[in-house]
Amino acid sequence: MNSTANYPVENLHEFCVNVLSAAGVEKSAAEIISESMLLSDLRGVDSHGIVRLPAYLARIEGGVLDKDGPLEIEKESGAVALINANNNFGQLAGHKAMHLAIKKADYSGFGAVFVKNSNHFGMTAYYSMMALSYDRIGFAATNSSPAMNPYGTTVPLLGTNPLSLAIPADGELPIVLDMATSVVARGKIRYAALIDKKIPLGWAVDKDGLSTDDPRKALAGSLEAIGGVKGSALSLMIDLLCGVLTNTALTGEVKTLTDPSGPSLTGHLFCALNPSFISDTQQFKQNVDTVIRRIKSLPAVDNKPIFLPGEIEHNLTCQRKEEGIPLKPDVVSSLNQAALRYGLTELNNIKTIKKEAI
């Protein structure tokens, strides 16, 4: 029987930091990378969570990710800056870039920080949400490796190129949009392939352009864009901003997380907007509350709960902080193998909160 084991967040964080540190990552950097992965797991974005740790380690071990690459501010003027990640972790570059964007929004009202020569940075909402504690509106986007056919073509060239927008509220939960430009993030299909689970029809097509529920055939084919031509166009625009504008890579040149042939060549964009430069911040947050309550007061389809963007993920975060993060046996096995390579404690030796059949 396939079953999950639920692990306390604190224990998983310690596990991640220990493994990354053993791989030569500075502890403060390991803390950021671990925080990013585990926030993904807490919010139910399991495809970008701790499951990615072995892939990051493989890139370090293969010499295609430079864990010591300096994060350099290459250009800076007013509200705009460009950071060269020098092939270091995307999480570290993103963390630095978003803080810089927030700082720029303090005195310019708006900050836009681009990142070049980076790597996969995990869950996009991790960065947009950083702005919320400063009462700022946060935005983040990244390009990624080819996964979608440009509309009207038959060859995957566009990435799923996700974006996230986080808007603060007052008494209500902040509104957090986190979406790929494909129907589903490719990481979810990779995750389905890892645990040998079928995917819903409509997520992807195989190499012949036929709809498939086989995640392996989907990975060899193309993901479906949201809204057809609109999703395809949005993906292209993000790629032009993150990859082409930063002179990191042309469309179609980003490498997948699991491609050991060379650096990922990923680019990112992080923005922060200070509402006080437009109107009164507190009034804005109260107005957001009013909009949220207005939406929730509308008649619901089949009397089902009405959720705004980010609300389901927030509720799941609260649940998983209490009940633990569920990991499937295949994921645990992969993490254990990584730990053993560095002579560290396996997850099997960490006390779980509960086990349940699913």
Side-chain angles (χ1 to χ4, degrees), residues 316-338:
L316 187 58
T317 296
C318 295
Q319 178 184 332
R320 288 188 169 183
K321 281 183 176 180
E322 181 178 341
E323 298 179 358
I325 292 175
L327 298 179
K328 289 184 175 291
D330 290 343
V331 175
V332 172
S333 175
S334 177
L335 294 170
N336 284 340
Q337 291 173 29

Side-chain angles (χ1 to χ4, degrees), residues 124-280:
T124 314
Y126 173 70
Y127 307 98
S128 65
M129 291 174 65
M130 287 172 59
L132 294 175
S133 59
Y134 298 89
D135 278 348
R136 305 292 182 256
I137 295 170
F139 173 84
T142 184
N143 64 353
S144 56
S145 57
M148 284 194 310
N149 304 335
Y151 191 80
T153 76
T154 60
V155 178
L157 187 74
L158 299 173
T160 58
N161 297 356
L163 62 91
S164 179
L165 183 64
I167 296 180
D170 188 32
E172 301 292 337
L173 295 175
I175 298 176
V176 181
L177 171 69
D178 186 5
M179 56 171 274
T181 53
S182 55
V183 172
V184 67
R186 184 167 52 181
K188 294 194 176 196
I189 295 181
R190 283 203 192 100
Y191 184 69
L194 176 65
I195 63 175
D196 197 25
K197 180 180 179 180
K198 289 185 176 182
I199 60 174
L201 291 173
W203 277 16
V205 296
D206 62 20
K207 63 181 181 180
D208 297 317
L210 302 176
S211 186
T212 181
D213 60 4
D214 185 329
R216 293 173 182 81
K217 289 183 178 180
L219 291 173
S222 170
L223 301 181
E224 295 277 29
I226 55 169
V229 65
K230 295 180 180 179
S232 180
L234 181 57
S235 172
L236 175 60
M237 296 304 171
I238 292 173
D239 198 70
L240 293 174
L241 289 173
C242 295
V244 180
L245 179 59
T246 62
N247 199 28
T248 299
L250 297 181
T251 302
E253 294 180 350
V254 176
K255 295 185 185 299
T256 67
L257 182 61
T258 55
D259 183 348
S261 65
S264 293
L265 301 177
T266 306
H268 320 301
L269 170 59
F270 305 91
C271 300
L273 174 64
N274 187 341
S276 69
F277 279 68
I278 311 299
S279 62
D280 179 76

